[in-house]
RNA sequence: GGGGGUGUAGCUCAGCUUGGUUAGAGCGCUGGCCUGUCAAGCCAGAGGUCGCGGGUUCGAGCCCCGUCACUCCCGCCA
């Protein structure tokens, strides 16, 4: 609760209650609304703590005349006596609805222009307008509540980490651009013509250096910068709870993070499971078609290769003959959907890269609709129904494609169906997805790239495969996924210089370039680097989940638009010729 | 870079299908009335570069082309 101390007020609006009846108070805040009955004026006064109704009677002439002039969002100091509201006029919708303050003295501290939108919850104003007038937007209780939640989570993390001997250490914002990963924001150096700093995509390398330095347990509420295209859950700058620890196994990291997150989430007042379930990356792909599955609903993927092993349906037979897979899912309760609604699903799997969708709709009347069922034998039909657990009223969707693609296409479809069919339930369903492949093949560049980052530690028994079979190397890696949102990711790190050089080499960063770009890390690894690992939690996303928002912009005080602009300040903006000259830049 | 959606009063939107008189509504705003409201009520009023530019047409908010902004998604985001 907001403290009234050290201010011109003696109490805050939201703190007033029946116990205060009879006391004389001085309040300060903004006029939330004014209701003028001619001979009696009501003013709802709002401060950070809440809203309380103030009454102005003509008997207090001076205050009454002031009240007649008041307008929404004017800033006022009001003095009066807390009174119980007359019988029948209490407002149960209001936290302070049992009382009101009879004002005897009103002092206008500032006037206000009519705001561009009303200060109330549940508004539907264009986000650009809200951002441009963010200082008004934040007066809305739900916006303020998001910032309050954000602060609370920050404090809970700090306390949880501090209690476990973690040191909060700041790392540079002006740092060095390194290859791989996201595009860097770059900052020209005035004192070093032609040279540039980069803003950190994350403090990854610095936290590893801190482990070499013997810090052993580090954390930071770290601001990170990535110059990539934005999304509802991606801003050009965002905050990570960055954590790193030494002398640990993957199990140590997971169990510790699990404790910390449980403390934070229960501290935030939500239901949180005692244990976070774990699945491997491969299992997640097979069961849900995603490396960040939303497990608030079922609809798991099923392998139908056995069911259709001897199928006379040419599409399936050809697929199996060429080594592709047949997988399907059961869209519970969608069996009575219209043909056009089902056809729309076809587009979804097509956009995901699959050739097409085979579907069988089991209407609740027992009728079966399907463009393909006529090609299935009775055994296949029975086998299919049994395998996916299809009952009357269900819709079975099948994709035949190369292994990974079948999973991914159905995964996209599953996510869509979960929302469309209203299967998604409330609450929080976290899970660990572990054992990601160390590398991913990038078709465009005909090369390997890291699935987490180049410093992830391969399984010891896979190190020998690095050069000959990079695709099958697994890493000590883990993503924390909550309700389908990737909230965090981490790995054990490579602490052996030779292994680090070999991994960089697979990524196409050979000897000379590795020295130039990562020499400082490689050097550090040779001076007694302890085994270490950690995680980075997407703080904005976590808070977004906690306030039930759709976008991390809702939990950032001053966010940017999807083109990276700030409607409030006008950033990014042009700079003077002089400024450009200072940093030795010429524009094209 | 690609695809979808949106852009009309301060805010939220209708009008666009099928071009045609003076572009409407709710909220907000301004003024008046009103002593128990809390979405106050009643009466009156002000308020428009129909995102911007070009084109078609006798005539464009509406049709066409371009462009900008916002937004969602794909690519991208170790």
């Amino acid at each position: 609760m907001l403290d009234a101390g050290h201010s011109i007020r003696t109490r805050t609006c939201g703190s007033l209650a029946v116990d205060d009846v009879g006391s004389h108070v001085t309040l300060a805040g903004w006029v939330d609304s004014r209701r003028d009955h001619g001979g009696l004026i009501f003013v709802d006064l709002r401060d950070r703590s809440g809203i309380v109704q103030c009454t102005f009677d003509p008997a207090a002439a001076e205050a009454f005349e002031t009240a007649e002039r008041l307008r929404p969002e004017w800033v006022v100091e009001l003095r009066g006596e807390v009174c119980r509201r007359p019988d029948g006029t209490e407002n149960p919708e209001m936290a302070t609805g049992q009382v009101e303050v009879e004002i005897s003295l009103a002092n206008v501290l500032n006037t206000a222009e009519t705001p561009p939108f009303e200060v109330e919850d549940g508004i539907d104003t264009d986000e650009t307008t809200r951002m441009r007038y963010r200082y008004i937007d934040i007066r809305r209780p739900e916006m303020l509540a998001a910032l309050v939640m954000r602060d609370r989570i920050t404090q809970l993390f700090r306390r949880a980490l501090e209690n476990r001997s973690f040191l909060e250490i700041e790392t540079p914002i002006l740092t060095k651009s390194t290859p791989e990963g996201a595009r860097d924001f770059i900052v020209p150096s005035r004192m070093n013509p032609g040279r540039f700093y980069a803003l950190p995509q994350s403090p990854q390398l610095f936290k590893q250096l801190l482990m070499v330095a013997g810090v052993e347990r580090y954390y930071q509420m770290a601001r990170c910068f990535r110059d990539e295209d934005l999304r509802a859950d991606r801003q050009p700058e965002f905050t990570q709870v960055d954590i790193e620890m030494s002398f640990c196994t993957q199990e140590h990291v997971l169990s510790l993070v699990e404790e910390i997150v449980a403390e934070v989430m229960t501290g935030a007042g939500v239901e949180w499971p005692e244990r976070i379930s774990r699945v491997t990356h491969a299992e997640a792909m097979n069961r849900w078609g995603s490396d960040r599955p939303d497990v608030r609903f079922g609809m798991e993927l099923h392998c139908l290769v056995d069911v259709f092993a001897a199928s006379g349906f040419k599409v399936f037979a050809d697929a199996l003959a060429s080594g592709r897979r047949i997988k399907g899912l059961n869209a519970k309760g969608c069996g009575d959907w219209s043909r056009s609604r089902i056809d729309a699903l076809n587009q979804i799997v097509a956009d995901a890269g699959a050739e097409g969708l085979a579907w069988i709709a089991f209407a609740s009347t027992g009728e079966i609709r399907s463009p393909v069922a006529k090609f299935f034998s009775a055994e296949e039909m029975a086998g299919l129904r049994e395998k996916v657990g299809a009952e009357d009223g269900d819709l079975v969707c099948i994709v035949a494609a190369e292994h990974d693609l079948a999973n991914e296409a159905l995964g996209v479809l599953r996510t869509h169906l979960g929302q469309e069919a209203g299967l998604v339930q409330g609450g929080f369903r976290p899970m660990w997805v572990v054992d990601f492949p160390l590398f991913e093949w990038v078709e465009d560049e005909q090369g390997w790239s890291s699935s987490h980052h180049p410093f992830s530690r391969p399984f010891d028994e896979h190190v020998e495969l690095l050069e000959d079979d990079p695709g099958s190397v697994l890493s000590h890696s883990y993503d924390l996924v909550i309700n389908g949102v990737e909230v965090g990711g981490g790995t054990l790190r490579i602490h052996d210089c030779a292994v680090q050089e070999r991994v960089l080499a697979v990524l196409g960063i050979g000897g000379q370039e590795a020295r130039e770009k990562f020499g400082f890390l490689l050097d550090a690894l040779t001076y007694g680097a302890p085994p270490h690992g950690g995680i980075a939690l997407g703080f904005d996303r976590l808070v977004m989940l906690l306030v039930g928002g759709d976008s991390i912009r809702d939990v950032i005080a001053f966010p940017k638009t999807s083109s990276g602009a700030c409607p409030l300040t006008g950033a990014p903006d042009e700079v003077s010729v002089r400024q450009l000259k200072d940093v030795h830049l010429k524009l094209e």
Side-chain angles (χ1 to χ4, degrees):
Chain A
M1 182 59 80
L2 181 64
D3 183 1
H6 299 280
S7 78
I8 60 176
R9 59 186 156 210
T10 61
R11 292 295 299 272
T12 59
C13 298
S15 71
L16 298 178
V18 174
D19 287 349
D20 301 304
V21 167
S23 62
H24 292 261
V25 298
T26 301
L27 304 172
W30 288 261
V31 174
D32 195 65
S33 75
R34 186 182 68 116
R35 295 176 294 279
D36 187 344
H37 288 239
L40 176 68
I41 299 173
F42 298 98
V43 169
D44 287 346
L45 187 70
R46 182 188 70 242
D47 64 19
R48 202 183 89 188
S49 69
I51 293 174
V52 71
Q53 173 168 284
C54 301
T55 64
F56 294 78
D57 190 281
E62 210 172 313
F64 187 81
E65 280 164 26
T66 302
E68 286 183 306
R69 290 164 44 222
L70 293 180
R71 290 294 181 271
E73 302 310 314
W74 281 29
V75 187
V76 290
E77 172 190 3
L78 300 178
R79 289 185 199 180
E81 181 181 354
V82 179
C83 302
R84 186 183 281 274
R85 289 196 187 188
D87 280 348
T89 67
E90 302 90 347
N91 184 351
E93 306 288 310
M94 245 174 129
T96 59
Q98 296 300 307
V99 300
E100 60 193 11
V101 185
E102 287 182 8
I103 302 302
S104 51
L105 191 150
N107 179 24
V108 175
L109 300 172
N110 210 344
T111 61
E113 293 294 317
T114 301
F117 49 87
E118 289 165 71
V119 178
E120 61 183 18
D121 282 347
I123 63 167
D124 193 20
T125 302
D126 178 71
E127 229 183 319
T128 318
T129 309
R130 289 174 48 204
M131 281 189 212
R132 181 169 171 203
Y133 298 98
R134 197 64 163 182
Y135 44 85
I136 297 172
D137 197 32
I138 293 172
R139 289 181 195 166
R140 299 167 44 236
E142 62 187 10
M143 285 299 292
L144 191 56
L147 297 184
V148 169
M149 175 64 85
R150 190 179 172 108
D151 167 74
R152 189 168 171 192
I153 302 307
T154 303
Q155 305 311 331
L156 287 164
F157 266 117
R158 285 215 161 95
R159 191 184 314 159
L161 286 155
E162 184 188 1
N163 287 343
R164 289 170 178 80
S165 310
F166 284 83
L167 298 182
E168 183 168 18
I169 298 175
E170 291 162 283
T171 53
I173 295 296
L174 295 175
T175 180
K176 178 186 170 77
S177 183
T178 54
E180 281 271 325
R183 189 177 296 112
D184 286 319
F185 281 100
I186 55 175
V187 180
S189 167
R190 177 181 58 81
M191 290 181 285
N192 301 274
R195 291 174 181 256
F196 295 81
Y197 300 98
L199 306 183
Q201 298 171 26
S202 83
Q204 180 61 37
L205 293 173
F206 288 108
K207 68 176 174 178
Q208 290 190 236
L209 296 178
L210 287 170
M211 293 305 104
V212 180
V215 166
E216 300 206 21
R217 291 191 169 196
Y218 143 94
Y219 83 99
Q220 179 179 196
M221 304 302 295
R223 195 70 69 86
C224 306
F225 307 86
R226 295 176 190 178
D227 188 6
E228 295 291 348
D229 287 357
L230 307 179
R231 289 282 194 285
D233 61 353
R234 282 169 20 195
Q235 282 272 299
E237 52 180 307
F238 59 98
T239 303
Q240 288 184 342
V241 185
D242 197 41
I243 298 172
E244 195 77 3
M245 51 201 278
S246 294
F247 306 116
C248 58
T249 63
Q250 174 164 323
E251 181 55 40
H252 293 129
V253 179
L254 294 190
S255 59
L256 184 64
V257 171
E258 227 170 284
E259 273 182 29
I260 290 165
V261 171
E263 264 183 41
V264 169
M265 297 300 274
T266 53
V270 304
E271 288 282 326
W272 189 254
E274 208 148 295
R275 291 285 300 169
I276 299 179
S277 59
R278 299 177 191 181
V279 298
T280 65
H281 174 263
E283 185 181 356
M285 295 308 296
N286 271 320
R287 289 175 64 185
W288 298 283
S290 171
D291 58 7
R292 50 178 175 91
D294 187 344
V295 293
R296 285 176 298 174
F297 61 100
M299 210 192 287
E300 291 191 21
L301 278 45
H302 298 277
C303 180
L304 302 175
V305 168
D306 292 345
V307 174
F308 294 106
S311 183
F313 182 34
K314 192 166 185 310
V315 174
F316 285 2
D318 289 353
L320 292 178
S322 63
R324 283 172 286 167
R325 298 296 179 90
I326 302 171
K327 296 199 70 165
L329 58 77
N330 178 9
K332 271 282 171 207
C334 302
D336 293 316
W337 279 18
S338 68
R339 178 67 192 255
S340 63
R341 201 171 175 192
I342 295 173
D343 280 343
L345 304 178
N346 219 334
Q347 192 58 46
I348 290 169
V349 299
D351 288 346
E355 282 190 30
L357 181 71
W359 54 269
I360 304 99
F362 300 98
S364 43
T365 58
E367 180 202 0
I368 295 179
R369 292 176 296 149
S370 172
V372 294
K374 59 182 177 243
F375 301 113
F376 299 166
S377 68
E379 293 86 48
E380 284 170 341
M381 202 63 164
L384 173 66
R385 289 192 73 148
E386 201 211 324
K387 186 82 179 179
V388 303
E391 303 170 324
D392 288 347
D394 293 349
L395 172 69
V396 176
C397 300
I398 305 173
V399 165
E402 184 269 328
H403 180 262
D404 290 351
L405 182 57
N407 283 338
E408 286 164 23
L410 282 170
V412 172
L413 182 66
R414 175 180 175 273
T415 304
H416 174 85
L417 284 166
Q419 289 160 359
E420 173 102 2
L423 300 172
V424 181
Q425 309 190 340
F428 294 98
R429 291 289 303 273
M431 66 191 304
W432 288 111
V433 179
V434 304
D435 301 351
F436 283 69
L438 187 62
F439 303 108
E440 293 169 349
W441 179 254
V442 180
E443 201 61 40
D444 286 354
E445 292 164 17
Q446 290 293 300
W448 295 99
S449 97
S450 299
S451 35
H452 267 87
H453 55 57
F455 321 107
S456 302
R457 181 166 148 199
F459 283 12
D460 289 344
E461 61 271 31
H462 290 179
V463 169
E464 61 187 21
L465 302 172
L466 274 175
E467 285 76 17
D468 298 332
D469 188 10
S472 58
V473 177
L474 297 180
S475 63
H476 291 288
S477 52
Y478 29 89
D479 275 5
L480 178 60
V481 176
I482 304 176
N483 297 357
V485 177
E486 184 194 326
V487 167
T491 61
L492 295 186
R493 325 299 182 188
I494 299 167
H495 62 282
D496 179 304
C497 184
V499 173
Q500 183 65 73
E501 286 180 312
R502 287 169 65 189
V503 167
L504 289 172
V506 174
L507 295 168
I509 304 172
Q512 185 59 27
E513 190 182 5
R515 292 311 307 180
E516 282 170 12
K517 294 298 182 182
F518 296 113
F520 64 100
L521 173 70
L522 296 171
D523 283 347
L525 293 180
T526 65
Y527 285 100
H532 60 285
I535 194 168
L537 301 170
F539 184 67
D540 311 275
R541 289 181 183 176
L542 189 63
V543 179
M544 175 187 80
L545 287 171
L546 282 166
V547 302
D550 296 319
S551 159
I552 62 170
R553 293 188 298 267
D554 295 337
V555 299
I556 294 173
F558 299 101
K560 292 179 176 62
T561 69
S562 66
S563 66
C566 172
L568 174 56
T569 61
D573 202 355
E574 294 173 354
V575 295
S576 68
V577 174
R578 173 62 193 265
Q579 285 172 293
L580 286 175
K581 198 168 149 73
D582 279 348
V583 296
H584 322 283
L585 283 184
K586 267 189 205 144
L587 297 181
E588 282 181 23

